[in-house]
Each structure stands twice: as structure tokens, then as C-alpha cells.
């Protein structure tokens, strides 16, 4: 009753108050892929049969053994990558071939340099740059006579034959859709003297000659340095195909991690983990998989008790049965590159894909276990079947222990797109997935349920309030803890007997709030679902991500993207405790799917990452942005009390959309009637003339300012609390509060507390 009166009164105030929303931090727009450079790292044996050394940049990647395989990014993501291979075949000194019998595979010198020893006094080195490879040949000791370096070039590239000259050689792929250059070579001695060199190309051989007369005057070592670089032939993009973001609350630097996958070529995606400082500052690549396989759709969680970020992603080598999920555990705060990874065991030998990771991000005392969800297809099948199940694995990174459990069986249903809350609460995670019954009406729906940290599956399932409508629901995302959750999902209309789309592109996006304590077998409260976006004229919308504000337990950030003929952009919505929007921001009209968000508990703000392709540019960048609440002050006390009772306002500051702000009365005496006065303005009126000696009225009771009074009584300890849920539809305003309470021994039988002023934003 009192709460209802309060909401009605506050709603009236909101109509005459000024609106104030949160904001995207100005000029905080960091492209996390700008100047991308992946350090040299070894891919262990077992993934490709033998260990491989890989590195990469913005538009290329390369592997190293006795030579180098250079892969420029093709002109379109649907094209296959065309390798250009170099092997040094001959080192000729004064017309005599030197033995290469001692040549070994490349070894790492440091993060961006490797070396191949070719012959006594001759070494082949590579430096990984953002835009290509710097190939150098180092003559470490004086050599008498002309020195000629000859290498064989193979792969799907050709160039026009030519006599030796000092100029670039441009190679084009057989289909003419990608290109790279072997740069004009220059010799540089130890004193910095330079000599342009002639490079020839004939019969699949490149030759570089260093003349003897220059070598006779040179100071050693001498370096010969052509540059291998991709050539941009078009503005086709390298799409980002998956993304997630998390923050390590235990650190103030190297604490924001973004995991993403990006298409390099047809059936060839690469996974990256980028570690940043707060606000996406100082990004650096700390993990990557850039092999010839398709490594895609990573998910990421913090497992704080294990001191690890956990990344899971899908991997396929193109063989029908090769789809599997891989894991990487990265030490929190570790800024060095770590290439270790392992394959997640497959239950029943089936194929695995679309991983989702739940962690423990809030306390080192929590249970240090992660939950890895994924789709599992039956063994000996190919493609997307109608018998996909959802499995989970409880993984303890500290010990490697794993426990596998089936979350949703495939019996008479097809289950896809698993999602999980980003952290357990020392009891459970909430998980969700989409389900298509293989009989009856065959409408696709979304389901959520608890999964305990002990592997228990609690209760039945949560279904949205749209369960009976003629529509297909798709790709759920959710977050929450301590029994409070929000789920987002897309919908498309479902005509009688129609099957859902085979992709995850929707017509509308919805969210729904529900409460489900882990000890309950069913949800204890649900709010109506709310439509937060519609893509007019077709299916153009994709769900993004959901993150909970764990300081209020009442707000969630929800991202989605629209890619339609009218525009391509990413939107962030911030919703309150009923699942209604309190803020909406378009994050740029050059945005594209995917998008991700997480909550920064230290800064009390949401971090947002999304793919971006500015018009006329070749690549999708990955942009980091920051959403912050409106600036507001904490509750401020003022005035004097008569007696011992005091006032305090809890949950600071008071956010519009929060469910749990409260005003407390303390030390007022046991079991006494009390009332809380609310006004828009402060006052300071002595009450002595009315018989309440020493007391003062500290809120304005004038009709233009006064809101209401709420009655209650104190507890046995002399306290009272009234909660003030703040609906999302409110605008910004201030409120002043003061308690009055009965005290038979006081003059007039009444005493007053001090007062507090609260900003509501």
C-alpha cells in the first residue's frame, strides 16, 4: 500500500522534472584491431600433425619452418586464402654454391623476430610488422666475391619474369583477386652504408645479388632486406564473427579482456584475445589461433578464484567430423603472449560448436570452477542436424578436473545457441538455449534453467510469457545472479507449420525480467516481456549481449545490431528492474554485428565492444566504448534531530530503474509508530510553537513541494526501513526525507530525526 502510494506520487513528480539519461563517454572510441600484430608462437603438435610457428598482422598471417608461407588476406571473405611460399635454395659465394645441409627450422628470437641458419656466415631472419614481414638475410662475417641468394617461390601466385633490377616484384594470385609484393632489396652494412640491389625472377626462382666490390669495403654484419607485404585490391571487409568482453575486478590495469574471431578467408577464421587497461586503453594481443583452420565464435569469462580468464571457441579443419571446442586459460594480469590451448573432450564422440562460458567474477573465496556449454551433434553426422543437444562441462582450471553433464537432451527436439550467466553466485549459473520441437506445431522457443556448481540441474525451466504466440524465438542471451535475471531473445513470425529460419536474424528483439532463487524449483516472479527493438520491413536484427550491474542488482545493459538496407548500427539499451528501458544509445551508424558488454564494478559503468566498418575502409575494426550513468551525488544529510533517532538513505546513489533504494530510521525506540515525510524541497522550521520542544521540521510541507507521508512502526531494535523502487519511466529529480516517530516521554509525544536529500538520476 505505502509503496503504491509512493510510486503514484513519484510518477507525478517525474512529469514536471527534467529528463537526464546516461551517456557514452566522449572521445572514448578505441579500435582494438588497429595495428594488429600477433607475436610468433608455436601451435602444438596434434592440431596440424606437427608443431608450427605462426604470426600475423592486420591483413596477413604467416607460418615458418625451413622457409616461410605467407598468406595475404584475400580480396573478399568468401575467397580462399592463397599461400605464397619461399624457400632459400642456394647461397652462392664467388660462383660456388654453399652447403645448406645444416639448415634447421625457424627458431624464435623474441616476440616478433625469428631466424633460420642457412649456412656458415648466412642467416635468414623475419620481423613481424603490422603490415607485412620484413625478410632479411644477414651476412655475419666477411665473404670474398659476389654473394647471390636464390629462393624458390611456390603457391598460387605468379609474376611476370624479368631481368635483375632494383624494383618491387608484384605477385598476383591465380584468380587475380589478391596480391603481394616482394620489395626492392637493399644492402646495409654495420656502419649504415646502403646499396640498392638487383632482384631477378625467372623459372620460379628469385635471386638477389650483392656485388663483391661493395662487400670488400663493407663493415660486417651486412643485412639484405626485402619486404613481404599484402596489396589491397578492394575494400572488401574481414568480418568479425564473434565477440565477448569481460573485466577482472581484482586489478586496475591489464584487466579488460576482449575475445573475438575474424574471417580471414573462406573456411578460415582466426581467434584473438586482446587485453586492455580500463576503458579499453593500451590494447595488446595476448592469445591467438591463426592457423589454416576455422577458429570462431569465442566466449570468455573470469574465474577469479583460479586467477584465470577462460576462453572457449569452436574449431573446424573443414573435415565433416572435425568440429570441436577448444579452451585457453589465461592468467589474470599476464600481458605476455600465451599460445597454450587444449581440446575439450566430446561426450559420446560427437561434434561440438558454439561454446558459452560461465565463470566466477566476484570473489576469490568463490568456487573456482567454470561452466563450458556447447552444442553437441551426434557422432558420424555432418552439418546441422535436428538432433542437437546442449552439454556442459564443469572445469576447474587450477587442476584440470572436468565433469560432463547433459543440459538439454535431443529427444524429439533440436537445441541450439546455448547461453550462460557470466558468473555463478557460489550456488548456480542460469543457462538458456533455443529449442525446436521435432513434432507438433514445431515452434521454436527459448528456455532457461539453473545449473549448480555441483552439476545439479535445479527445477524445470523458465519460459517467456510469449510462449503461446505464433512466432519463433531465437538466440537467447542472459545475465544475472542471486536469483535476479534478464533474458533477451529475437523473434520472427511463425505461420502455421512454418519452420524457423536457419540463421539467427530476427524481426524483433525482446527482453524479460524474472526472479528465480536457486533454492526454488520454479521462478518466483516474472515481469512482462518488453520489446526494445523492431527491424522494419524484414529480418535485419541480431541479439548481442547482456550484462548485469551487480552494484544495484537492478540494471542490465543489452546490445543488439541492425543491418538493413537503411543502415547498419549497434545499439545499447540500459533496462531497469522491470525490464523496461531507461536509456538507449546508438553507438555509431558504421557499426555491425557482433557486440558485447560487461559491467565495470569499480567504475560503476558498462563497457561495450562492437564490430565497426567505416564506409570505404577494408576492415572491420573492433571498437571499445564506455557507458556511464548520469553524474550524481550521494545522499546528503542535513539539519538536527531532537532525540536519538537518525536517518540514512541506502543504496548510493539512487538510480532510476533501481528496485532497492531505501530510507532507514535507527535508534528510535522499540515498537513505536513512525512516519516518513517526503518533499521536493528542504526546510528548517522550529516546532516549539506546536509543543514539540527542540524539534525542527526539515522538509517543506507546502502543497507545491510536499509529496506524501508513509506510515510504519519500528522494530524491537528501534529501527524501520522503507524501500523506494524507482521505475524506469521516471525523470531526474531530488527528494528530501525526514522521519517522525512517537516517544511518550518527549514533549508533545513526538520526536524528529535529522533529514537527508537524495538525487534521483
Amino acid at each position: 500500500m505505502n509503496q503504491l502510494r509512493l510510486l503514484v506520487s513519484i510518477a507525478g513528480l517525474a512529469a514536471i522534472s527534467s529528463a537526464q539519461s546516461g551517456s557514452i563517454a566522449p572521445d572514448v572510441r578505441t579500435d582494438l584491431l588497429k595495428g594488429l600484430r600477433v607475436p610468433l608462437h608455436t601451435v602444438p603438435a596434434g592440431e596440424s600433425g606437427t608443431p608450427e610457428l605462426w604470426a600475423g598482422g592486420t591483413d596477413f598471417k604467416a607460418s615458418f619452418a625451413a622457409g616461410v608461407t605467407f598468406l595475404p588476406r584475400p580480396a573478399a571473405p568468401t575467397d580462399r586464402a592463397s599461400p605464397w611460399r619461399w624457400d632459400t635454395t642456394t647461397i652462392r659465394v664467388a660462383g660456388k654454391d654453399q652447403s645448406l645441409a645444416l639448415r634447421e627450422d625457424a627458431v624464435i628470437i623474441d616476440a616478433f623476430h625469428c631466424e633460420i641458419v642457412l649456412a656458415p656466415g648466412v642467416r635468414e631472419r623475419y620481423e613481424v610488422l603490422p603490415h607485412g614481414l620484413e625478410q632479411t638475410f644477414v651476412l655475419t662475417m666477411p665473404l670474398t666475391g659476389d654473394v647471390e641468394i636464390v629462393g624458390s617461390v611456390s603457391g598460387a601466385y605468379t609474376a611476370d619474369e624479368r631481368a635483375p633490377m632494383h624494383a618491387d616484384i608484384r605477385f598476383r594470385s591465380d584468380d587475380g583477386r589478391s596480391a603481394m609484393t616482394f620489395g626492392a632489396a637493399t644492402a646495409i652494412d654495420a656502419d649504415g652504408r646502403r646499396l640498392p640491389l638487383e632482384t631477378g625472377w625467372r623459372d620460379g626462382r628469385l635471386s638477389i645479388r650483392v656485388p663483391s666490390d661493395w662487400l670488400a669495403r663493407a663493415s660486417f654484419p651486412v643485412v639484405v632486406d626485402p619486404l613481404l607485404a599484402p596489396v589491397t585490391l578492394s575494400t572488401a571487409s574481414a568480418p568479425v564473427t564473434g565477440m565477448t568482453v569481460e573485466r577482472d575486478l581484482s586489478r586496475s590495469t591489464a584487466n579488460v579482456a576482449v575475445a573475438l574471431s575474424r574471417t580471414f578467408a573462406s573456411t578460415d577464421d582466426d581467434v584473438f584475445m586482446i587485453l586492455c587497461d580500463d576503458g579499453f586503453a593500451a590494447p595488446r594481443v595476448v592469445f591467438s589461433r591463426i592457423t589454416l583452420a576455422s577458429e570462431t565464435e569465442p566466449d570468455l569469462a573470469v574465474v577469479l578464484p583460479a586467477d584465470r580468464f577462460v576462453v572457449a571457441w569452436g574449431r573446424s579443419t573443414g573435415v565433416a567430423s572435425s568440429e570441436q571446442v577448444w579452451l585457453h586459460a589465461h592468467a589474470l594480469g599476464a600481458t605476455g603472449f600465451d599460445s597454450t590451448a587444449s581440446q575439450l573432450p566430446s561426450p559420446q564422440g560427437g561434434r561440438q560448436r558454439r561454446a558459452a562460458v560461465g565463470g566466477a567474477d566476484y570473489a576469490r573465496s568463490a568456487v573456482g570452477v567454470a561452466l563450458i556449454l556447447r552444442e553437441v551433434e551426434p557422432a558420424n553426422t555432418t552439418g546441422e542436424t535436428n538432433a542437437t543437444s546442449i552439454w556442459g562441462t564443469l572445469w576447474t582450471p587450477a587442476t584440470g578436473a572436468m565433469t560432463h553433464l547433459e543440459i538439454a537432451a535431443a529427444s524429439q527436439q533440436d537445441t541450439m545457441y546455448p547461453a550462460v550467466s557470466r558468473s555463478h553466485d557460489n550456488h548456480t549459473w542460469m543457462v538458456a538455449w533455443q529449442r525446436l520441437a521435432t513434432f507438433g506445431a514445431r515452434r521454436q522457443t527459448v528456455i532457461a534453467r539453473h545449473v549448480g556448481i555441483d552439476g545439479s540441474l535445479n527445477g524445470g525451466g523458465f519460459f517467456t510469457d510469449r510462449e503461446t504466440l505464433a512466432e519463433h524465438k531465437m538466440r537467447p542471451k542472459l545475465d544475472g545472479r542471486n536469483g535476479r535475471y534478464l533474458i533477451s531473445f529475437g523473434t520472427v513470425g511463425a505461420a502455421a507449420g512454418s519452420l524457423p529460419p536457419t540463421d539467427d536474424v530476427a524481426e524483433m528483439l525482446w527482453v524479460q525480467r524474472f526472479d528465480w532463487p536457486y533454492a526454488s524449483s520454479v521462478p518466483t516472479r516474472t515481469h512482462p516481456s518488453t520489446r526494445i527493438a523492431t527491424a522494419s520491413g524484414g529480418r535485419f536484427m541480431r541479439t548481442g549481449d547482456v550484462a548485469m550491474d551487480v552494484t544495484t542488482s537492478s540494471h542490465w545493459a543489452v546490445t543488439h545490431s541492425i543491418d538493413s538496407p537503411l543502415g547498419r548500427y549497434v545499439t545499447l539499451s540500459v533496462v531497469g528492474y522491470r525490464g523496461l528501458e531507461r536509456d538507449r544509445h546508438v553507438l555509431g551508424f558504421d557499426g555491425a554485428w557482433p557486440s558485447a558488454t560487461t559491467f565495470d564494478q569499480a567504475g560503476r559503468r558498462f563497457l561495450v565492444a562492437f564490430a565497426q566498418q567505416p564506409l570505404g575502409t577494408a576492415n572491420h575494426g573492433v571498437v571499445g566504448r564506455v557507458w556511464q550513468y548520469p553524474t550524481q551525488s550521494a545522499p546528503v544529510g542535513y539539519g538536527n534531530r531532537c532525540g536519538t533517532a537518525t536517518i540514512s538513505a541506502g543504496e548510493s546513489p539512487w538510480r532510476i530503474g533501481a528496485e532497492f533504494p531505501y530510507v532507514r530510521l535507527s535508534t528510535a525506540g522499540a515498537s513505536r509508530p513512525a512516519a516518513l515525510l517526503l518533499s521536493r524541497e528542504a526546510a528548517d522550521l522550529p516546532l516549539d510553537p506546536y509543543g514539540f520542544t527542540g524539534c525542527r521540521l526539515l522538509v517543506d510541507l507546502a502543497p507545491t513541494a510536499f509529496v506524501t507521508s508513509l506510515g510504519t512502526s519500528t522494530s524491537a531494535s528501534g529501527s524501520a526501513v522503507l524501500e523506494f523502487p524507482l521505475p524506469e519511466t521516471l525523470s531526474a529529480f531530488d527528494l528530501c526525507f525526514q522521519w517522525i516517530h512517537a516517544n511518550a516521554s518527549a514533549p508533545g509525544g513526538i520526536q524528529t530525526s535529522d533529514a537527508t536529500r537524495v538525487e534521483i538520476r
Side-chain angles (χ1 to χ4, degrees):
M1 295 285 291
N2 285 340
Q3 191 176 92
L4 179 59
R5 286 173 53 200
L6 175 66
L7 293 180
V8 172
S9 300
I10 289 180
L13 278 173
I16 58 174
S17 302
S18 61
Q20 184 172 351
S21 63
S23 62
I24 296 293
D27 301 322
V28 180
R29 179 184 282 259
T30 304
D31 186 350
L32 305 182
L33 291 180
K34 185 176 182 180
L36 174 69
R37 192 163 58 145
V38 177
L40 289 151
H41 61 280
T42 300
V43 177
E47 293 189 43
S48 60
T50 58
E52 296 178 334
L53 190 61
W54 283 87
T58 303
D59 290 316
F60 77 94
K61 54 187 175 182
S63 64
F64 306 84
V68 62
T69 299
F70 185 80
L71 291 105
R73 182 175 62 82
T78 53
D79 293 345
R80 297 190 67 85
S82 299
W84 184 93
R85 299 184 182 92
W86 165 279
D87 285 287
T88 302
T89 58
T90 306
I91 301 295
R92 188 172 294 124
V93 179
K96 183 178 180 180
D97 291 355
Q98 304 298 299
S99 172
L100 302 183
L102 299 179
R103 179 170 63 178
E104 297 180 352
D105 285 353
V107 296
I108 296 175
I109 300 173
D110 59 31
F112 298 107
H113 297 82
C114 65
E115 178 179 87
I116 303 169
V117 176
L118 295 172
V122 185
R123 301 186 177 200
E124 182 177 344
R125 290 179 179 171
Y126 292 92
E127 179 182 3
V128 182
L129 304 172
H131 56 281
L133 289 180
E134 184 81 37
Q135 180 190 43
T136 60
F137 297 91
V138 183
L139 311 182
T140 61
M141 61 185 185
L143 299 171
T144 302
D146 290 353
V147 174
E148 187 177 9
I149 301 165
V150 181
S152 68
V153 174
S154 59
Y157 283 85
T158 59
D160 295 332
E161 292 191 350
R162 72 174 202 193
M165 66 177 67
H166 180 70
D168 294 349
I169 300 178
R170 179 163 171 158
F171 291 84
R172 298 182 67 92
S173 61
D174 293 342
D175 61 10
R177 292 178 59 81
S178 63
M180 50 110 16
T181 60
F182 187 89
T186 301
I188 308 169
D189 78 354
D191 293 331
R193 293 190 306 148
R194 305 172 69 89
L195 176 70
L197 301 177
E198 294 182 343
T199 303
W201 167 245
R202 182 177 298 276
D203 297 330
R205 296 285 191 273
L206 271 169
S207 61
I208 306 171
R209 187 180 67 86
V210 187
S212 59
D213 57 345
W214 187 86
L215 285 173
R217 300 187 303 272
S219 297
F220 284 77
V222 169
V223 174
V224 179
D225 70 338
L227 173 69
L228 308 181
V231 176
T232 300
L233 297 183
S234 75
T235 57
S237 65
V240 176
T241 55
M243 189 187 319
T244 184
V245 58
E246 283 295 346
R247 185 182 183 278
D248 166 17
L249 63 84
S250 69
R251 287 170 172 80
S252 57
T253 60
N255 58 350
V256 177
V258 178
L260 63 98
S261 57
R262 187 178 71 151
T263 297
F264 185 82
S266 174
T267 69
D268 185 352
D269 291 66
D270 300 321
V271 163
F272 306 88
M273 177 179 168
I274 300 171
L275 193 62
C276 314
D277 294 342
D278 260 335
F280 297 105
R284 55 275 208 191
V285 177
V286 295
F287 170 77
S288 182
R289 269 292 184 271
I290 55 171
T291 64
L292 296 176
S294 179
E295 321 259 2
T296 189
E297 293 188 287
D299 200 23
L300 168 72
V302 179
V303 185
L304 192 58
D307 206 41
R308 294 290 188 273
F309 286 112
V310 173
V311 187
W313 69 97
R315 185 176 194 273
S316 173
T317 61
V319 179
S321 60
S322 68
E323 288 181 297
Q324 294 299 331
V325 168
W326 282 71
L327 302 175
H328 169 67
H330 197 88
L332 299 183
T335 57
F337 191 85
D338 179 2
S339 63
T340 59
S342 59
Q343 182 176 317
L344 181 65
S346 174
Q348 303 172 349
R351 295 177 292 120
Q352 305 180 101
R353 59 172 171 263
R354 295 194 182 110
V357 186
D361 69 359
Y362 63 96
R364 291 197 177 276
S365 61
V367 177
V369 62
L371 175 63
I372 317 296
L373 299 182
R374 69 276 197 197
E375 298 176 12
V376 176
E377 296 280 12
N380 303 315
T381 61
T382 60
E384 299 264 5
T385 74
N386 61 358
T388 312
S389 56
I390 304 296
W391 280 76
T393 295
L394 297 172
W395 181 40
T396 305
T399 65
M402 290 185 176
T403 301
H404 306 294
L405 53 147
E406 191 174 33
I407 307 294
S411 176
Q412 294 188 314
Q413 60 182 2
D414 187 32
T415 56
M416 297 173 64
Y417 290 109
V420 58
S421 55
R422 62 191 64 236
S423 175
H424 70 68
D425 51 17
N426 255 354
H427 298 290
T428 64
W429 295 272
M430 185 63 67
V431 304
W433 62 93
Q434 72 180 40
R435 183 187 73 180
L436 175 65
T438 56
F439 62 94
R442 303 202 67 182
R443 288 179 185 158
Q444 190 166 269
T445 190
V446 296
I447 305 172
R449 73 178 306 178
H450 282 291
V451 175
I453 58 176
D454 59 356
S456 59
L457 302 177
N458 184 26
F462 164 80
F463 296 85
T464 76
D465 61 359
R466 306 184 60 79
E467 179 66 18
T468 61
L469 300 180
E471 63 187 19
H472 295 300
K473 301 162 189 68
M474 59 181 60
R475 192 143 192 165
K477 299 292 288 187
L478 82 167
D479 197 22
R481 67 180 62 169
N482 297 322
R484 297 173 61 78
Y485 303 96
L486 181 133
I487 188 169
S488 73
F489 54 96
T491 62
V492 296
S498 68
L499 292 175
T502 56
D503 56 30
D504 60 342
V505 184
E507 296 169 337
M508 300 180 184
L509 180 66
W510 300 78
V511 297
Q512 186 168 3
R513 269 274 298 114
F514 64 99
D515 291 349
W516 192 353
Y518 79 96
S520 175
S521 61
V522 294
T524 57
R525 182 178 65 166
T526 61
H527 293 274
S529 59
T530 302
R531 186 180 65 191
I532 62 172
T534 300
S536 177
R539 294 192 305 114
F540 304 117
M541 180 173 301
R542 302 177 87 169
T543 57
D545 200 5
V546 177
M548 181 189 198
D549 177 346
V550 296
T551 63
T552 67
S553 296
S554 298
H555 297 93
W556 286 261
V558 182
T559 66
H560 71 273
S561 60
I562 291 179
D563 191 353
S564 77
L566 300 179
R568 183 182 66 240
Y569 53 90
V570 173
T571 297
L572 169 73
S573 298
V574 179
V575 302
Y577 71 95
R578 299 181 301 171
L580 301 177
E581 278 187 314
R582 59 151 285 163
D583 284 278
R584 173 186 289 232
H585 296 273
V586 174
L587 301 180
F589 286 95
D590 50 4
W593 185 88
S595 59
T597 184
T598 192
F599 184 67
D600 173 359
Q601 190 168 342
R604 305 187 76 164
R605 58 188 185 172
F606 288 103
L607 308 179
V608 188
F610 59 95
Q612 178 189 50
Q613 186 190 8
L615 295 176
T617 62
N619 287 315
H620 279 83
V622 173
V623 175
R625 303 292 302 273
V626 177
W627 183 90
Q628 45 201 21
Y629 288 101
T631 301
Q632 66 186 115
S633 301
V636 177
Y638 66 92
N640 298 314
R641 64 183 185 269
C642 60
T644 60
T646 60
I647 190 172
S648 59
E651 185 166 306
S652 177
W654 284 28
R655 311 286 199 197
I656 292 172
E659 187 169 6
F660 302 117
Y662 64 87
V663 178
R664 181 187 301 276
L665 173 66
S666 302
T667 63
S671 305
R672 294 178 178 176
L676 182 63
L677 306 179
L678 291 72
S679 178
R680 296 182 62 222
E681 300 293 342
D684 190 3
L685 178 67
L687 297 180
D688 300 73
Y690 305 99
F692 308 121
T693 305
C695 297
R696 307 185 75 83
L697 181 65
L698 301 175
V699 298
D700 191 348
L701 298 186
T704 55
F706 186 63
V707 178
T708 191
S709 64
L710 302 171
T712 186
S713 60
T714 63
S715 66
S717 64
S719 64
V721 175
L722 288 176
E723 289 188 342
F724 290 84
L726 302 172
E728 300 91 334
T729 51
L730 297 179
S731 297
F733 62 98
D734 296 353
L735 277 179
C736 298
F737 298 91
Q738 183 182 25
W739 285 100
I740 61 173
H741 65 91
N743 185 347
S745 62
I750 293 293
Q751 288 185 316
T752 60
S753 71
D754 51 347
T756 188
R757 186 183 191 99
V758 176
E759 292 184 355
I760 298 173
R761 300 290 186 268

